[in-house]
């Protein structure tokens, strides 16, 4: 096979964007190599938005979710009473976009301006806005009919959107949830009574406020990176997709990357290319660099790996979002759930999705959103809220039956810095992942304050007809000490690892911000969530699509 101009390792959102954009030039030959299966976007488990719960629930594995997942685990975390955190990643063409929660939020202007100010010229918010617009088809303004139909408050949503901040003809369709559960409106009312303003568009001029999320969905179905970027260009003769194939390392001639070593079952081989681009995600991209001889010289020597380039930042700077869930039992059956009383309605929901792509199956249940600040002296949000109109609580594993709802409190900039390291020189061994949550600089104040403000919202009158009781952690967990203990016991990540091959020019930087080439070697770049120097204050797929769009331009210009 080959040789190719580019081999892209990993077909997640970043890899799919690159494969599409680099093959726009018919003279450029690209191979996209993916560890998992190909042609996923039309499979029901991927298309149905609600089916995301099946990927996370071992009891629902018979529905076929496991083949789209790779499960990693953190080391026992000293700040979490030695608890190891489960860390799922998506697998197959589309990567995590096949299994994720579909929430589409870019992040705050300050996040990207922060990247720029760290020495990454060209990566500030104003530099990236054209790329956000390039990737988006923001349905409320792209489709005038949809725009008139969807209302926020009493007015059409489209009238409340700043069109200069959104794209209308990009590959990724962004849409409000098609069927919003009535309880989400109780949440909006309750939040206002608790003193928070409504925000019709978290990707608008300001992120602060309470509102309803937009999703990577179209016509009540999930939009994946494969569906958006690969399926429309599969026919290009200069694009070769190789699925079910693991890359085990980058092959070098001196300090020039010349190809990648692959493994499929017992078969192995090498694919040659002029350039290699690692897009295997924030856990595997740094692992592949280290397995290939790029990393801390001392560590590599420990595992008998021949040094190609001493680069101490590889695998360092791991960042993620922290998330804690409050769970409520309902006294009405307004929230989604499984019960005899709700059986006829649930049957109708299934028919509704089959015939109209609406109803519960078109929902992820995370209808309600919010960005708030817990700091009275600074209104930059440090907490994100997810109000979920069903009770699939993965943190407490409390089951699916009955009716209830959840409030997730996510700390947007936890301040903890972790690392990804090798466990051995064997590519089959998963890397060692340590987050260091609640150690060093990171305190529990923001999460604790976030829980208190979420409870204030839930205590408002609009919830009275629905809320029976908080069942996890329960009202007795009230003092600082009790809340902190609950957080340490339950807190999870939002599955947004970034930062482990950070761009920059200092001694800890891994890739050059102007080319995304790995420092000190040639023919090798990294383009995925791992190059973010700091985590964005939002779910990470939008920023990943955006950085890959920009990367494609930088790569085209560089050659
Ligand atoms: C359960 C879950 C829910 C999430 N919810 C949201 C959400 O609602 N909104 C949001 O914005 N973000 C969400 N995210 C995060 C978001 O999906 C990621 O930030 C984004 O997908 C990162 O893209 P990526 O291209 O960097 O890597 P990935 O999506 O991780 O893709 C990497 C790809 O590389 C492949 N690969 C890995 N190793 C190899 C190898 N050795 N050889 C070949 N291929 C390899 C993998 O199989 C995978 O397909 C969620 C993630 C998860 C897991």
């Amino acid at each position: 096979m080959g040789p190719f101009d580019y081999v892209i390792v990993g077909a997640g959102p970043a890899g799919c964007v690159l494969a599409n954009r680099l093959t726009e030039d018919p003279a450029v030959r690209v191979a996209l190599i993916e560890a998992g299966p190909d042609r996923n976007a039309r499979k029901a488990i991927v298309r149905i938005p609600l089916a995301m719960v099946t990927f996370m629930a071992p009891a629902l594995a018979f529905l076929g979710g496991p083949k789209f997942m790779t499960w990693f685990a953190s080391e026992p975390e000293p700040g979490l009473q030695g608890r190891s955190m489960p860390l799922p990643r998506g697998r197959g063409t589309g990567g995590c976009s096949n299994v994720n929660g579909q929430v589409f939020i870019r992040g705050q202007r300050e996040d990207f301006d922060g990247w720029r100010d760290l020495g990454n010229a060209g990566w500030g918010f104003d530099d990236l806005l054209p790329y956000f617009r390039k990737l988006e088809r923001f349905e409320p303004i792209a489709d005038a009919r949809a725009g008139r139909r969807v209302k926020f408050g009493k007015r059409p949503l489209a009238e409340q959107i700043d069109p200069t901040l959104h794209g209308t003809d990009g590959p990724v369709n962004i849409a409000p949830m098609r069927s919003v559960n009535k309880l989400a409106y109780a949440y909006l009312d309750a939040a206002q009574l608790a003193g928070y303003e409504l925000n019709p568009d978290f990707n608008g001029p300001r992120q602060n406020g309470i509102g309803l999320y937009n999703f990577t969905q179209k016509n009540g179905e999930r939009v994946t990176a494969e569906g958006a970027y690969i399926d429309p260009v599969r026919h290009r003769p200069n694009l070769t997709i190789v699925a079910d194939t693991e890359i085990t390392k980058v092959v070098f001639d001196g300090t020039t990357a010349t190809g990648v070593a692959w493994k499929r079952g017992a078969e192995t081989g090498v694919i040659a290319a002029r350039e290699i681009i690692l897009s295997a995600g924030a856990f595997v991209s740094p692992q592949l660099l280290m397995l290939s001889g790029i990393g801390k010289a001392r560590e590599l020597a420990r595992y008998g790996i021949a040094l190609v380039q001493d680069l101490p930042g590889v695998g360092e700077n791991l960042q993620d979002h922290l998330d804690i869930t409050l769970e409520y039992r309902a006294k009405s059956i307004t929230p989604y759930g499984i019960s005899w009383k709700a059986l006829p309605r649930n049957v109708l929901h299934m028919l509704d999705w089959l015939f109209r792509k609406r109803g519960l199956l078109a929902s992820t249940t995370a209808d309600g959103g919010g960005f708030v600040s817990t700091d009275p002296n600074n209104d930059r949000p440090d907490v994100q809220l997810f109000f979920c109109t069903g009770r699939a609580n993965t943190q407490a594993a409390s089951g699916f039956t009955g009716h209830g709802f959840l409030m997730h409190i996510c700390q947007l900039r936890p301040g903890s810095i972790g690392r990804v390291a090798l466990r051995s020189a064997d590519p089959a061994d998963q890397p060692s992942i340590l987050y260091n949550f609640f150690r060093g600089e990171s305190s529990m104040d923001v999460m604790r304050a976030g829980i208190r403000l979420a409870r204030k919202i839930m205590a408002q009158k609009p919830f009275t007809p629905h809320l029976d009781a908080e069942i996890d952690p329960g009202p007795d967990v009230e003092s600082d000490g009790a809340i902190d203990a609950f957080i340490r016991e339950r807190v999870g990540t939002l599955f947004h690892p970034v930062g482990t091959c950070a761009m920059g020019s200092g001694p800890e930087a891994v890739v050059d911000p102007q080319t995304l080439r790995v420092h000190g070697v040639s023919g090798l770049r990294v383009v995925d969530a791992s190059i973010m120097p700091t985590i964005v204050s939002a779910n990470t797929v939008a920023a990943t699509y955006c950085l890959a769009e920009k990367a494609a331009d930088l790569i085209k210009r560089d050659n």
Side-chain angles (χ1 to χ4, degrees):
M1 204 188 311
F4 293 95
D5 292 296
Y6 299 100
V7 163
I8 301 166
V9 178
C16 290
V17 171
L18 291 178
N20 176 312
R21 298 301 184 197
L22 295 178
T23 54
E24 281 170 351
D25 178 350
V28 170
R29 290 151 308 159
V30 172
L32 176 64
I33 322 275
E34 169 53 45
D38 191 24
R39 297 185 187 274
N40 307 311
R42 300 312 304 154
K43 292 177 184 147
I45 194 168
V46 173
R47 283 163 63 204
I48 299 173
L50 185 69
M52 69 165 288
V53 298
T54 71
F55 297 115
M56 306 298 291
L60 301 175
F62 66 92
L63 292 169
K67 81 169 181 213
F68 297 102
M69 302 291 279
T70 307
W71 286 88
F72 295 83
S74 77
E75 297 291 344
E77 293 282 345
L80 303 180
Q81 299 164 328
R83 188 159 58 85
S84 161
M85 305 167 100
L87 305 169
R89 306 310 294 153
R91 184 182 168 84
T93 314
C96 293
S97 72
N98 292 333
V99 303
N100 72 11
Q102 304 144 64
V103 173
F104 185 89
I105 306 275
R106 294 170 176 171
Q108 299 166 357
R109 170 178 277 278
E110 294 92 326
D111 298 327
F112 306 103
D113 289 351
W115 293 3
R116 182 199 58 205
D117 297 345
L118 284 170
N120 299 297
W123 290 90
F125 180 78
D126 290 332
D127 305 304
L128 293 177
L129 182 57
Y131 293 104
F132 279 119
R133 296 191 56 178
K134 182 175 184 182
L135 74 91
E136 287 179 14
R137 180 183 183 275
F138 189 59
E139 197 176 287
I141 50 176
D143 173 346
R145 222 166 46 119
R148 273 195 304 277
R149 203 177 44 231
V150 181
K151 296 221 164 50
F152 186 77
K154 295 211 159 53
R155 288 163 56 213
L157 179 61
E159 286 175 11
Q160 302 172 65
I161 302 288
D162 178 348
T164 64
L165 292 176
H166 291 280
T168 52
D169 55 6
V172 183
N173 201 76
I174 317 293
M177 199 175 272
R178 276 192 118 182
S179 300
V180 177
N181 187 300
K182 263 197 331 217
L183 203 61
Y185 297 108
Y187 160 72
L188 297 183
D189 293 343
Q192 287 179 91
L193 288 172
Y196 297 100
E197 275 180 38
L198 290 188
N199 184 347
D201 180 12
F202 297 130
N203 294 308
R206 48 190 274 285
Q207 195 194 44
N208 305 53
I210 300 292
L212 301 175
Y213 283 125
N214 288 304
F215 296 86
T216 46
Q217 294 181 355
K218 188 171 187 185
N219 299 331
E221 297 188 4
R222 175 197 290 270
V223 170
T224 69
E226 183 194 48
Y229 281 94
I230 297 299
D231 288 344
V233 302
R234 264 184 195 284
H235 59 275
R236 287 182 184 162
N238 56 338
L239 173 62
T240 304
I241 298 171
V242 185
D244 298 308
T245 301
E246 303 247 357
I247 297 306
T248 52
K249 68 174 193 168
V250 180
V251 178
F252 280 91
D253 178 4
T255 55
T256 302
T258 56
V260 286
W262 58 266
K263 184 172 188 310
R264 188 186 309 121
E267 269 181 275
T268 59
V270 170
I271 305 175
R274 185 162 58 83
E275 283 213 15
I276 315 301
I277 308 173
L278 298 183
S279 300
F283 296 149
V284 182
S285 285
Q287 183 192 16
L288 284 172
L289 285 180
M290 291 185 269
L291 289 170
S292 314
I294 302 175
K296 272 192 216 74
R298 222 167 23 142
E299 280 293 293
L300 301 186
R302 218 173 112 197
Y303 297 112
I305 298 171
L307 185 69
V308 173
Q309 175 66 33
D310 183 13
L311 210 53
V314 174
E316 298 297 323
N317 190 44
L318 172 65
Q319 301 177 37
D320 207 326
H321 292 129
L322 271 175
D323 176 77
I324 189 88
T325 310
L326 306 181
E327 180 170 350
Y328 296 87
R329 187 171 54 223
K331 58 185 175 200
S332 74
I333 64 159
T334 305
Y336 302 119
I338 299 173
S339 65
W340 288 113
K341 225 169 156 185
L343 181 63
R345 187 181 75 181
N346 287 343
V347 171
L348 288 178
H349 276 307
M350 285 186 214
L351 297 174
D352 206 13
W353 191 82
L354 276 176
F355 293 108
R356 301 193 314 146
K357 299 288 183 289
R358 291 183 180 279
L360 166 61
L361 275 71
S363 158
T364 63
T365 77
D367 308 42
F371 287 88
V372 294
S373 168
T374 61
D375 178 353
N377 301 314
N378 183 350
D379 74 347
R380 181 180 179 193
D382 53 5
V383 158
Q384 181 177 2
L385 300 174
F386 298 84
F387 176 70
C388 297
T389 53
R391 60 172 289 245
N393 183 358
T394 48
Q395 283 169 11
S398 54
F400 294 101
T401 52
H403 293 264
F405 39 96
L406 308 174
M407 179 71 113
H408 286 258
I409 297 111
C410 161
Q411 186 175 358
L412 290 169
R413 296 177 299 280
S416 332
I417 302 290
R419 57 95 182 124
V420 172
L422 288 183
R423 229 182 260 285
S424 79
D426 182 353
D429 277 349
Q430 290 194 335
S432 157
I433 298 164
L434 183 71
Y435 271 108
N436 288 321
F437 286 127
F438 302 130
R439 289 179 88 194
E441 294 296 293
S442 68
S443 91
M444 305 185 84
D445 298 354
V446 172
M447 284 242 103
R448 202 187 309 118
I451 288 178
R452 292 206 163 108
L453 74 82
R455 279 176 163 169
K456 188 172 164 201
I457 295 174
M458 305 309 289
Q460 303 298 321
K461 229 169 150 188
F463 278 115
T464 311
H466 309 289
L467 196 157
D468 182 8
E470 181 186 295
I471 55 170
D472 199 54
D476 295 346
V477 175
E478 214 192 339
S479 65
D480 284 4
I483 292 179
D484 289 358
F486 165 65
I487 294 171
R488 285 186 203 280
E489 193 183 318
R490 286 275 209 279
V491 80
T493 80
L494 264 191
F495 320 127
H496 296 160
V498 304
T500 49
C501 301
M503 62 177 153
S505 47
E508 289 292 309
V510 176
V511 298
D512 168 32
Q514 302 316 321
T515 59
L516 305 179
R517 290 182 184 276
V518 175
H519 288 301
V521 298
S522 50
L524 180 60
R525 310 187 202 230
V526 182
V527 178
D528 60 23
S530 70
I531 69 163
M532 297 186 199
T534 56
I535 194 157
V536 292
S537 309
N539 309 57
T540 43
V541 91
T544 306
Y545 277 124
C546 172
L547 69 83
E549 286 279 11
K550 177 168 172 103
D553 267 8
L554 293 177
I555 295 169
K556 285 176 174 176
R557 210 176 305 153
D558 194 37
N559 277 317

